[in-house]
Amino acid sequence: MKMTNLFKGVSMFLIATVIFTACTSDDDSTTIQQEEEEEETVVTELHNAFAAFNTDAVTVMLSNDGTEVFIETTGFPNHTSIYWETDNALYLDETAAGVVKTTQNTFIGGGQGEASSFTVDATPNLTGSTVSTELGTIGIAVSGSAIFNDQEGMGDLDQAAGSLDWAGAHKGPGVYHYHLEPTPITSDDDSLVGILMDGVFIYGRQCSSTGTNPTDLDASGGHTSTTEYTDGEEEYHYHIINEVYPAGNYAYEPAYVLFAGPFQGY
């Protein structure tokens, strides 16, 4: 009889322990999930840097919950280029400089898919793994045009460098896009160039915090410092890396690749 009571007592203790452990695990999981949700940064207004974007081309909206930013552009730049139609006020004849258009019938506004859009975190997540850039649009410049990496088709950029205009850009079948330092926007200075698809802003070759070319950049050309748009607060951002790209066919040497990657803000 005593052994039976003892057995029942032990059994009840084990059952209670299992139930308590299960409840505790569920509570812990719920707590962790709540903490992760609370860690998602919420902002109440757009970053000051968006004020520099060409409003004739670019539309920027903050999500209702303050966690994401939606960016849309017509893709049309607000500066001159050989890629505008000849009767456009922004057309610039660059043939004397040696620019050879991709095709004579290729011009801004004359192709499909020039408008583009993407959504980024209002505050970039810099805790994850780096992500390599791919062909196509990897960002939007303040001018309204697309940013591409240092590749063209299946080869390196040198094969297409002869078709790049004074802005370090050209137009294929799709969007007009920059591969090199966009000189209408920045030329060895600290001007804001645009935003990339990971939500991180990119600036010219100089940093406003020092007025010089930074020497502490990571593999993506990024570092953390103040900018003219952060009101004295430090923020991670990219720069065009101050290294000459050997593009022998480029008409306006020296050439500086705009961004090769990898992304840091995914």
Side-chain angles (χ1 to χ4, degrees):
M1 185 70 177
K2 291 181 178 179
M3 289 297 293
T4 302
N5 290 338
L6 177 61
F7 177 77
K8 288 181 178 178
V10 172
S11 298
M12 292 300 292
F13 174 77
L14 292 175
I15 292 171
T17 301
V18 171
I19 293 174
F20 175 77
T21 302
C23 291
T24 303
S25 297
D26 289 342
D27 290 344
D28 288 345
S29 298
T30 301
T31 301
I32 291 172
Q33 183 177 358
Q34 289 174 342
E35 289 176 350
E36 289 177 345
E37 291 175 351
E38 290 172 358
E39 287 176 359
E40 190 171 19
T41 304
V42 175
V43 300
T44 57
E45 57 185 18
L46 289 169
H47 195 291
N48 292 334
F50 285 116
F53 283 71
N54 170 23
T55 56
D56 289 334
V58 182
T59 300
V60 184
M61 294 180 291
L62 182 64
S63 64
N64 291 333
D65 62 3
T67 63
E68 295 180 319
V69 175
F70 177 75
I71 307 165
E72 183 178 37
T73 181
T74 64
F76 299 162
N78 54 356
H79 58 73
T80 59
S81 172
I82 195 174
Y83 285 95
W84 288 103
E85 291 189 81
T86 55
D87 60 352
N88 190 293
L90 293 176
Y91 172 75
L92 177 66
D93 187 354
E94 300 179 83
T95 55
V99 177
V100 180
K101 291 181 62 178
T102 50
T103 69
Q104 290 306 308
N105 294 323
T106 299
F107 54 88
I108 298 168
Q112 299 297 318
E114 295 194 69
S116 61
S117 64
F118 56 80
T119 300
V120 300
D121 290 338
T123 301
N125 177 15
L126 300 173
T127 62
S129 301
T130 58
V131 178
S132 298
T133 59
E134 297 181 352
L135 296 176
T137 298
I138 64 169
I140 293 175
V142 296
S143 68
S145 292
I147 294 172
F148 277 32
N149 66 11
D150 62 339
Q151 298 293 303
E152 178 70 23
M154 298 302 293
D156 61 41
L157 185 58
D158 191 51
Q159 299 177 29
S163 66
L164 299 177
D165 63 12
W166 76 287
H170 63 178
K171 177 176 167 54
V175 301
Y176 175 83
H177 56 274
Y178 307 104
H179 284 287
L180 302 178
E181 177 182 66
T183 51
I185 302 172
T186 179
S187 182
D188 195 22
D189 58 35
D190 61 358
S191 297
L192 176 67
V193 176
I195 188 170
L196 300 187
M197 293 181 70
D198 61 351
V200 179
F201 292 104
I202 182 167
Y203 293 79
R205 284 183 277 145
Q206 293 188 19
C207 187
S208 67
S209 64
T210 61
T212 61
N213 302 124
T215 58
D216 61 342
L217 301 180
D218 59 24
S220 300
H223 72 164
T224 300
S225 72
T226 60
T227 75
E228 63 177 297
Y229 299 102
T230 59
D231 294 327
E233 297 291 327
E234 292 191 337
E235 176 181 85
Y236 181 82
H237 56 278
Y238 300 123
H239 286 278
I240 298 174
I241 296 178
N242 191 39
E243 295 179 2
V244 175
Y245 179 81
N249 296 326
Y250 185 46
Y252 300 96
E253 293 185 348
Y256 299 89
V257 168
L258 206 170
F259 186 79
F263 293 118
Q264 298 284 341
Y266 279 126

